[in-house]
Amino acid sequence: MKEHASIFNDVLGPVMIGPSSSHTAASVRIGRALRQMVAGKITFFQADFDPEGSLAASYITQCSDIGLVGGLLGMYPTDSRLTKALEIAEDEGMKVLFRVIPFENTHPNTYKMTIKTDLGEELDVVALSVGDGMIEITEINHFNVAITGGFYETLLFGKDLALLEAELPEKISKFCFATVSENEGEILLHLKTQQALSENEKAWLKERMTVERMIAFDPVLPVLSQKEPEMLFSTVEEMVALANKEQLDLADMALRYESHRGSISESEVYQKAEDILAIMTNGIQVGLAGTSYDDRMLGAQSPKIRANRAKLIGDDLPAKILENISALMEVKSSMNVFVAAPTAGSCGALPGTLIAVSDYQKKSKDDLVRGLLAAGMIGIFIAEYATFAAEVAGCQAECGSGSGMTAGALVQLMGGTIEEAVDAAAMALQNVFGMTCDPIGVRVEVPCLGKNMMCGMNALGAANMALAGYDVVVPLDETIESFNKVGRMIPPSLRCTGHAGLAQTKTGLEIAEKLGCPLDCC
């Protein structure tokens, strides 16, 4: 079963605090899911990270540790108490243990976890962070599962199952899917629904199975998954053909896609985009007012643009783009609320550039919202056919993807056609193939700030090229396919592990040591 990407699950979001969507927000979501799997008070939590993966090098500096424990304590990704999660857990009697230990896995962001409660419950769970705060739980008590956080999940462990799958849609409201698996004589019946099961529905299931344990938990994503719809289009080429047939632009296609994907109205989609824009706009203001946070590498850089404006090259637009991007990256690094767009490490380029150009061109709020929706639509194709995870495909997956999204958004903002918007996205992506992820101290600051600025300017150039009628040569579908292949060729040492690049320079190592980086890569 393939769940199609959602603009507000996979692309524009999560709304969060912390340095990394893959490591902080995803960890909170995993922790929240685990919390719901048990009834008792959690007394013990252990998480293992493979030394060959990304988490071994980044789980402290990119806050996977506080994210997991915060989620176990019931916190959300925006909770200001996340920075104190470990202390709160200790005060509440939860023993927490993190280990870097080899184990078999297939993804660099694999969490192998055990939880125990005061009621004698014990769970072994394996989960993945797959990029931009998205998660997948792949194993519960040695049963293979596929849980991504968009459904209400009910898992019944036991034996003597006696029901027909055809009965489930008749007896279970909002039923979507069911799977049955067996492991060493034990059976798992796993149901996915769009609402929690009622007590009557649970009782009916227990009449048809000897249930030894039941686990049920709610979605952790903002837009629910649904029984797989037939999608309106699957490629950029198909989307453009449909848009031209109905005389629609890229923002229109975003509204239609997300409405269909999430079974919500187009007005709800628009409102969600408007809400996201408000958080982005506020983030710029917070950043420009000045931020402070003891445990970070860079102080406030954004005020320097205005203070030194007379020295800078060009008119107000490039200066404002750099200022906005700096402000948003500083909001992230000071543990204030921001939007990962598409990730935390690339949170500056899209909103910083789009809002600067909108102000410069005196565009309306509606123009700006529609530009953001257009960015989301470009991001859908990247999420579907590539990745936003730097641990998988380097920084091209994060800042590079953000640059392609921004280019499409700028063309939409300027009233360009859907062909021009997707061509701009393609050209922007073509310019960033092979971008590595080598943050100093495995922190999302340097060179992340500069890469966000570069990708904002790259998007501006690509948008102007498309609006001027430059030939794209390689269309967006093919560009994304190649983009994905190239990213996965980047060596693991340059995919957010701190084992190469600027992270291993003399200065980079000295900074990491000064910041107290506890990892062998530093």
Side-chain angles (χ1 to χ4, degrees):
M1 179 195 67
K2 175 177 172 55
E3 290 185 47
H4 291 288
S6 157
I7 289 174
F8 301 111
N9 289 347
D10 299 80
V11 184
L12 301 179
V15 179
M16 59 174 288
I17 66 170
S20 170
S21 49
S22 291
H23 296 145
T24 316
S27 294
V28 174
R29 286 171 167 172
I30 291 168
R32 286 183 58 80
L34 290 178
R35 168 65 269 182
Q36 296 181 75
M37 292 184 194
V38 293
K41 179 182 177 182
I42 298 173
T43 56
F44 175 83
F45 173 69
Q46 176 179 292
D48 293 342
F49 308 117
D50 183 74
E52 297 301 316
S54 172
L55 287 166
S58 61
Y59 80 90
I60 296 174
T61 57
Q62 295 191 22
C63 298
S64 296
D65 53 353
I66 66 173
L68 286 168
V69 175
L72 292 172
L73 294 170
M75 298 179 189
Y76 288 90
T78 54
D79 198 314
S80 62
R81 297 173 298 158
L82 278 174
T83 57
K84 302 294 183 183
L86 295 175
E87 292 93 330
I88 295 170
E90 184 178 4
D91 291 343
E92 294 188 4
M94 185 192 303
K95 182 179 179 180
V96 176
L97 179 63
F98 295 101
R99 304 188 305 176
V100 176
I101 185 170
F103 60 88
E104 187 175 340
N105 65 90
T106 59
H107 195 283
N109 286 345
T110 300
Y111 305 69
K112 185 179 181 182
M113 301 165 289
T114 299
I115 53 176
K116 300 177 182 179
T117 77
D118 60 354
L119 298 180
E121 300 163 291
E122 182 170 345
L123 279 179
D124 293 316
V125 179
V126 177
L128 313 176
S129 165
V130 295
D132 190 32
M134 298 299 288
I135 67 170
E136 183 177 351
I137 297 171
T138 60
E139 188 177 309
I140 298 177
N141 277 4
H142 312 294
F143 278 93
N144 292 330
V145 295
I147 297 170
T148 55
F151 286 108
Y152 290 84
E153 309 279 352
T154 305
L155 299 94
L156 298 95
F157 299 84
K159 55 187 178 182
D160 303 326
L161 177 63
L163 63 77
L164 299 174
E165 188 172 344
E167 296 179 273
L168 292 169
E170 299 173 1
K171 297 292 186 178
I172 306 296
S173 299
K174 300 286 186 177
F175 171 81
C176 293
F177 301 101
T179 58
V180 177
S181 53
E182 186 174 351
N183 183 36
E184 297 183 353
E186 186 179 20
I187 291 173
L188 167 62
L189 173 61
H190 182 184
L191 306 180
K192 294 178 180 289
T193 56
Q194 287 191 302
Q195 66 182 31
L197 269 62
S198 68
E199 292 305 315
N200 287 339
E201 289 168 336
K202 292 176 185 177
W204 177 80
L205 288 167
K206 289 177 180 178
E207 289 173 0
R208 282 152 179 79
M209 178 181 181
T210 302
V211 178
E212 297 169 351
R213 182 174 199 168
M214 178 183 290
I215 293 174
F217 55 98
D218 297 347
V220 295
L221 298 177
V223 177
L224 286 180
S225 299
Q226 59 177 313
K227 193 165 185 176
E228 200 60 40
E230 183 178 347
M231 299 308 292
L232 302 172
F233 45 81
S234 60
T235 66
V236 176
E237 183 179 13
E238 290 174 0
M239 177 189 70
V240 171
L242 179 60
N244 286 334
K245 180 180 178 181
E246 302 189 23
Q247 297 185 313
L248 302 174
D249 62 18
L250 187 56
D252 293 325
M253 299 311 291
L255 288 165
R256 184 170 291 191
Y257 173 91
E258 190 70 3
S259 173
H260 185 76
R261 156 61 178 80
S263 193
I264 57 179
S265 69
E266 290 190 12
S267 62
E268 289 178 275
V269 175
Y270 186 95
Q271 184 60 56
K272 285 181 180 291
E274 195 170 25
D275 293 343
I276 290 289
L277 177 63
I279 297 168
M280 291 172 165
T281 303
N282 182 68
I284 291 172
Q285 299 310 312
V286 170
L288 292 179
T291 58
S292 62
Y293 190 70
D294 290 339
D295 189 24
R296 70 178 182 181
M297 197 178 311
L298 294 170
Q301 305 293 299
S302 52
K304 297 178 180 180
I305 297 291
R306 197 165 297 177
N308 295 284
R309 179 67 190 89
K311 298 180 181 180
L312 305 186
I313 300 166
D315 67 1
D316 288 340
L317 180 56
K320 188 59 181 173
I321 290 172
L322 300 186
E323 185 178 58
N324 284 0
I325 291 172
S326 296
L328 288 161
M329 293 295 286
E330 289 157 19
V331 163
K332 171 195 64 64
S333 296
S334 58
M335 301 297 279
N336 283 289
V337 175
F338 69 97
V339 181
T343 67
S346 60
C347 69
L350 169 59
T353 307
L354 183 62
I355 292 170
V357 173
S358 178
D359 290 345
Y360 185 82
Q361 296 289 346
K362 297 181 171 53
K363 294 293 183 178
S364 69
K365 182 180 177 182
D366 178 64
D367 291 331
L368 197 47
V369 173
R370 290 179 65 80
L372 192 59
L373 285 164
M377 193 65 249
I378 297 296
I380 287 295
F381 291 105
I382 300 172
E384 286 281 312
Y385 299 112
T387 179
F388 290 132
E391 301 81 10
V392 174
C395 192
Q396 71 163 54
E398 298 202 18
C399 290
S401 295
S403 191
M405 291 163 54
T406 305
L410 292 175
V411 170
Q412 173 70 46
L413 181 74
M414 298 305 296
T417 66
I418 190 167
E419 289 92 347
E420 290 169 337
V422 299
D423 285 356
M427 287 188 277
L429 292 177
Q430 290 164 15
N431 296 339
V432 296
F433 276 36
M435 191 189 301
T436 63
C437 180
D438 56 346
I440 291 175
V442 204
R443 293 169 180 254
V444 191
E445 293 188 75
V446 177
C448 315
L449 172 59
K451 288 182 177 179
N452 272 261
M453 290 180 170
M454 178 184 72
C455 286
M457 291 300 189
N458 176 52
L460 181 65
N464 276 333
M465 289 167 69
L467 288 167
Y470 278 49
D471 295 333
V472 67
V473 184
V474 180
L476 183 54
D477 283 322
E478 294 178 39
T479 297
I480 291 174
E481 181 183 10
S482 182
F483 181 74
N484 184 45
K485 290 177 180 177
V486 169
R488 293 170 190 270
M489 293 176 184
I490 296 172
S493 58
L494 289 167
R495 298 198 313 241
C496 199
T497 60
H499 288 293
L502 291 178
Q504 286 294 311
T505 60
K506 177 177 179 290
T507 298
L509 292 170
E510 288 173 351
I511 292 171
E513 184 177 4
K514 183 178 179 181
L515 290 170
C517 178
L519 308 170
D520 64 353
C521 62
C522 304

